[in-house]
């Protein structure tokens, strides 16, 4: 009687060189990332860690992560737009709905992610993590991307979200084009900042790579986010979907929907 060996899990290893201030900041972020992800007890739509903390290996801090074989949402967007084939609303909503579920899970666990952007949204095929999946899954170039499993990653700056009546978070976190206005203004922020970032990301998916606010630096993007209104989405975007994206991008954090609200809205409930 013969038996076949079970496929071995594939992992990704994050290496951070030790020895200078920037690296120590990265190590602190990695420690925070491991602690938050472990506490969140991730479902399939949140990037999973195989180890609870970085291990020192030959002058580097090493962290073993779950493997996602489809690259990132940034890769998908870059490939689509370079071929002048923007993602359809249906494909965009396939990614967005899973991401909203992941962020709701993070918020329900008491955290705010605070660094949402396409590069931090990883994609995995159904075979991810197994040696048996031979060739690298080309999420950016095949129709298989419509079956991609979203993995929210990079919890390095995630923080415990304030509850009602508690002091708001302060300081800048994340990437300028995705920062919420209340973070940029110094007014203090919480979970609502993730909703704004999600709105920027979804707008970008639907608008062929164009973000709702121009600029890439803290100065240029920050000024636009604080002072400008987003342009209307392209006419091919369904009206109800455009309306929920507009609600996510409101300047007033209290006026934005929660992820629970977003997931029961018609565009997401039907996705």
């Amino acid at each position: 009687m013969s038996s076949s060996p079970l496929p071995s899990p594939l992992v990704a290893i994050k290496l951070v060189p030790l020895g200078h201030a920037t690296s120590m900041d990265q190590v602190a972020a990695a420690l925070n990332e491991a602690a938050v992800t472990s506490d969140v007890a991730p479902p399939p739509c949140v990037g999973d860690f195989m180890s609870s903390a970085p291990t020192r290996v030959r002058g580097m801090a090493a962290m073993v992560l779950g493997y996602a074989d489809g690259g990132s949402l940034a890769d998908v967007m870059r490939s689509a737009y370079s071929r002048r084939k923007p993602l359809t609303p249906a494909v965009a909503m396939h990614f967005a709905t899973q991401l909203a579920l992941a962020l709701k899970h993070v918020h329900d666990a008491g955290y705010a992610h605070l660094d949402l952007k396409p590069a931090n949204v990883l994609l995995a095929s159904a075979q991810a993590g197994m040696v048996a999946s031979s060739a690298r899954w080309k999420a950016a170039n095949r129709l298989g991307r419509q079956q991609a499993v979203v993995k929210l990653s990079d919890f390095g700056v995630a923080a415990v979200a304030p509850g009602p009546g508690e002091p708001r978070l302060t300081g800048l976190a994340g990437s300028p084009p995705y920062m919420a206005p209340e973070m940029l203004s110094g007014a203090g922020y919480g979970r609502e900042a993730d909703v704004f970032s999600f709105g920027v990301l979804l707008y970008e998916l639907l608008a062929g790579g164009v973000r709702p606010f121009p600029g890439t630096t803290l100065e240029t993007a920050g000024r636009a986010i604080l002072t400008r209104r987003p342009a209307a989405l392209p006419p091919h975007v369904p009206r109800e979907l455009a309306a929920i994206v507009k609600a996510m991008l409101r300047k007033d954090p209290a006026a934005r929907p929660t992820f629970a609200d977003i997931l029961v809205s018609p565009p997401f409930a039907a996705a």
Side-chain angles (χ1 to χ4, degrees):
M1 179 178 179
S2 62
S3 61
S4 300
L6 292 174
S8 302
L10 289 175
V11 298
I13 299 176
K14 179 185 287 188
L15 296 173
V16 180
L18 301 175
H20 51 84
T22 301
S23 293
M24 294 316 294
D25 289 343
Q26 292 174 331
V27 171
L31 285 167
N32 185 65
E33 189 171 13
V36 171
T37 309
S38 176
D39 197 27
V40 165
C45 52
V46 180
D48 53 317
F49 281 78
M50 301 297 186
S51 64
S52 59
T55 301
R56 185 164 182 160
V57 179
R58 295 182 180 180
M60 295 187 178
M63 177 174 284
V64 182
L65 315 176
Y67 180 67
D69 60 347
S72 71
L73 190 54
D75 297 327
V76 171
M77 294 165 67
R78 191 179 303 114
S79 175
Y81 306 148
S82 68
R83 292 180 290 114
R84 298 183 180 181
K85 291 185 177 181
L87 303 179
T88 66
V91 172
M93 289 303 293
H94 168 77
F95 295 129
T97 302
Q98 293 184 73
L99 186 54
L101 285 166
L103 286 160
K104 179 181 182 299
H105 182 83
V106 171
H107 286 191
D108 289 348
Y111 290 93
H113 184 276
L114 305 178
D115 195 13
L116 183 62
K117 57 185 177 182
N120 288 342
V121 181
L122 304 183
L123 306 175
S125 67
Q127 299 294 327
M130 293 298 168
V131 173
S133 57
S134 53
R136 186 181 186 277
W137 186 65
K138 302 290 186 179
N141 299 311
R142 295 183 182 175
L143 292 177
R145 67 190 180 193
Q146 296 184 42
Q147 284 75 49
V149 176
V150 165
K151 298 276 189 177
L152 177 60
S153 70
D154 205 339
F155 288 76
V157 297
V160 175
E166 295 180 346
R168 309 294 283 171
L169 298 170
T170 57
L172 298 177
S175 298
Y178 302 90
M179 288 180 179
E182 63 270 23
M183 180 186 292
L184 291 161
S185 69
Y189 54 89
R191 294 176 178 87
E192 303 87 355
D194 283 343
V195 175
F196 185 89
S197 301
F198 179 71
V200 174
L201 186 152
L202 182 51
Y203 185 108
E204 190 175 3
L205 282 174
L206 294 166
V210 177
R211 287 191 289 263
F213 306 98
T216 57
T217 67
L218 189 58
E219 180 181 0
T220 58
R223 185 187 306 116
I225 290 168
L226 287 170
T227 63
R228 295 178 61 164
R229 293 182 179 180
L233 280 162
H236 72 270
V237 177
R239 185 177 301 176
E240 285 185 315
L241 179 53
I244 191 71
V245 173
K246 184 178 180 180
M248 297 176 204
L249 296 175
R250 289 170 179 156
K251 305 294 186 190
D252 180 4
R256 291 175 208 142
T258 66
F259 282 107
D261 298 329
I262 291 167
L263 285 165
V264 298
S265 67
F268 281 81

